[in-house]
Amino acid sequence: MDPSALNSAEMQRLLNQEKEKAMVNEMLAKLTSECWDKCISSAPGSKFSSSESACLSNCAQRYMDMSLIIMKRFQSMH
């Protein structure tokens, strides 16, 4: 894509898309790190134990729920 062919609105849209991708990647990395540290206590084998799997699932769900609450709170402030 030729950057000179993009108008200001298109450029802003592309920048916003890239920012959103970066935020999602950052959130996923943080979620992975937090939940891994909380739920995996020993060197992992070829599969997670049922308790590790349940812990990871619950941790990820809580993290996503809290992220949604925080996003909604910030949006209501603007």
Side-chain angles (χ1 to χ4, degrees), residues 15-74:
L15 287 172
N16 286 339
Q17 284 178 341
E18 290 304 314
K19 283 181 189 177
E20 288 176 12
K21 286 180 193 176
M23 286 173 49
V24 167
N25 285 336
E26 181 181 343
M27 188 172 82
L28 185 58
K30 193 167 189 173
L31 180 150
T32 301
S33 176
E34 294 289 326
C35 292
W36 183 272
D37 291 345
K38 178 181 172 85
C39 298
I40 309 301
S41 58
S42 59
S46 60
K47 291 200 266 185
F48 293 126
S49 70
S50 60
S51 62
E52 289 171 332
S53 183
C55 180
L56 288 168
S57 179
N58 290 334
C59 180
Q61 187 62 52
R62 282 193 313 271
Y63 190 91
M64 296 302 289
D65 289 346
M66 200 49 117
S67 295
L68 187 60
I69 289 168
I70 291 168
M71 271 194 295
K72 285 181 179 181
R73 179 73 48 99
F74 278 125

